Amino acid sequence: PKPWFLCKLCQVVWNKHDISMKIGIVGLGLIGGSLGLDFRALNKHTVIGVSRRPETCAKAIQRGVVDDAHTDITFVASADVIFICTPIAYIASTVDQLIPHLSSTTILTDVGSVKASIVRTVEPLWPNFVGGHPMAGTAESGIDAALSKLFVDRAYVITPTQKTLPDSIAMIESLARSLHSKTYICTPDDHDRAVAWISHLPVMVSASLIEACLNEPSDDVLTLARTIASSGFRDTSRVGGGNPELGMMMARYNRDEVVRSLKAYQTQLSTITQCIETESWSELEEILQHTQTSRSTFL
Ligand code: NAP
């Protein structure tokens, strides 16, 4: 096709999605609240929310996260697109509760950090479902932690299957791009294997580092270590000091991939331990040289 035709086509797709919509958000915490702030800031959508506690709903309205909010799940049923932003354990049950109240055109999407188990459970319940994962966050949780522009320049992974409706994928992609996220499309399984490496394994490794350090038997040494700890320890312990509920959910709902990556990590640790024990300095140097050059390429 001629370039002008492609431009026209993009324009048609863009126009189709550049419309004002009613967006529903269930779970007004860090991610749900941050989505609400940014969707409202676009000044074209109506954003309505649901959370379990009335205090959360009141705070969400007061902070401008939503136009209106309620504790009753049916409150978001009239939305065109509903983002399920509850902890992973409640995503499927939330969809279950919503279904009797939805019109067949309603697009459901979620933001869970794990995709295969969610997509496998939710897709048969609601065919107009698109799995998603905005790759942004902080160590905080709850409505007070919601931040505007949290998703700018961050990856937003969309995980359709063969059955996902192309128009619904395009709609979620377009909404994610309107937050200035970079969108990526992959299978739920590939997503889970990839995030095990770059998100879930680091949480377990970082938590293990903190635990191992705290198990130092000498109180004096531990006090000294705490006093002189600087950016190295702060960087490497950061993700291990995050929301425990989220770490638990990663392990529980992405169990196979987390165990797989932990075992590979354990093998690598054994290699390094052996190098040091046997004073194989050139072998150790080779590993460290390889990681130094590969890290910059990888990132
Ligand atoms: P969060 O800050 O704890 O927010 C979750 C909110 O959901 C809570 O504020 C809670 O408020 C509400 N909630 C809990 N259960 C609910 C239910 N059954 N029905 C309705 N609302 C409910 O957690 P989050 O960090 O935003 O995580 C939410 C989702 O985003 C998770 O699925 C997580 O995997 C995903 N995610 C997290 C991050 C991250 O770095 N944190 C990044 C990407 C994706 P009430 O007490 O008022 O109900």
Side-chain angles (χ1 to χ4, degrees):
K2 299 250 186 321
W4 65 263
F5 175 75
L6 285 179
C7 284
K8 275 267 178 261
L9 189 66
C10 289
Q11 195 67 49
V12 169
V13 172
W14 174 251
N15 285 343
K16 192 170 160 194
H17 294 136
D18 190 31
I19 47 173
S20 74
M21 280 189 301
K22 200 188 239 192
I23 297 177
I25 298 175
V26 182
L28 298 169
L30 166 66
I31 300 298
S34 302
L35 283 173
L37 282 172
D38 286 356
F39 283 136
R40 283 200 76 227
L42 295 173
N43 280 324
K44 61 178 178 183
H45 305 305
T46 304
V47 182
I48 49 177
V50 164
S51 226
R52 279 174 314 183
R53 291 177 306 130
E55 306 91 272
T56 311
C57 296
K59 216 172 239 179
I61 296 167
Q62 178 219 324
R63 283 204 58 194
V65 163
V66 287
D67 292 287
D68 206 355
H70 208 282
T71 53
D72 182 346
I73 191 89
T74 61
F75 189 67
V76 288
S78 60
D80 305 300
V81 179
I82 304 176
F83 286 77
I84 317 281
C85 304
T86 66
I88 293 171
Y90 302 110
I91 292 176
S93 58
T94 301
V95 171
D96 237 352
Q97 291 170 52
L98 272 169
I99 283 173
H101 311 284
L102 301 180
S103 101
S104 62
T105 55
T106 314
I107 301 174
L108 290 187
T109 186
D110 77 311
V111 297
S113 316
V114 169
K115 294 275 58 90
S117 55
I118 294 174
V119 173
R120 254 196 305 275
T121 317
V122 174
E123 192 173 64
L125 302 176
W126 191 253
N128 207 352
F129 171 74
V130 184
H133 180 197
M135 306 282 304
T138 68
E140 311 300 321
S141 58
I143 186 67
D144 291 325
L147 288 173
S148 58
K149 301 191 176 18
L150 181 66
F151 309 102
V152 172
D153 287 335
R154 308 301 295 269
Y156 198 117
V157 188
I158 297 167
T159 61
T161 68
Q162 306 260 331
K163 294 183 187 152
T164 316
L165 303 175
D167 269 4
S168 304
I169 302 171
M171 178 60 84
I172 299 305
E173 206 175 2
S174 144
L175 282 170
R177 286 201 187 143
S178 73
L179 307 174
H180 300 283
S181 289
K182 298 172 186 167
T183 54
Y184 298 90
I185 294 191
C186 66
T187 66
D189 287 322
D190 282 353
H191 166 275
D192 286 1
R193 188 171 276 204
V195 294
W197 284 119
I198 53 92
S199 173
H200 303 174
L201 174 65
V203 168
M204 304 307 155
V205 168
S206 175
S208 304
L209 170 70
I210 298 169
E211 277 297 326
C213 172
L214 293 177
N215 285 336
E216 159 60 44
S218 159
D219 283 345
D220 288 347
V221 171
L222 194 58
T223 306
L224 178 64
R226 186 183 301 133
T227 313
I228 61 178
S230 184
S231 55
F233 193 77
R234 193 165 295 123
D235 290 348
T236 48
S237 64
R238 185 177 66 80
V239 291
N243 180 355
E245 190 181 4
L246 195 53
M248 280 292 298
M249 295 298 157
M250 292 168 174
R252 208 166 149 192
Y253 290 89
N254 198 18
R255 195 183 67 125
D256 292 352
E257 294 304 338
V258 173
V259 168
R260 190 175 155 279
S261 62
L262 271 171
K263 285 188 174 161
Y265 182 72
Q266 238 160 4
T267 305
Q268 194 54 49
L269 263 189
S270 303
T271 305
I272 285 192
T273 309
Q274 210 173 12
C275 285
I276 298 170
E277 272 175 349
T278 58
E279 302 194 2
S280 306
W281 304 128
S282 56
E283 202 184 324
L284 179 63
E285 190 181 5
E286 216 173 285
I287 295 172
L288 295 177
Q289 245 155 19
H290 181 246
T291 56
Q292 185 193 34
T293 49
S294 317
R295 181 177 183 268
S296 53
T297 328
F298 185 80
L299 288 175

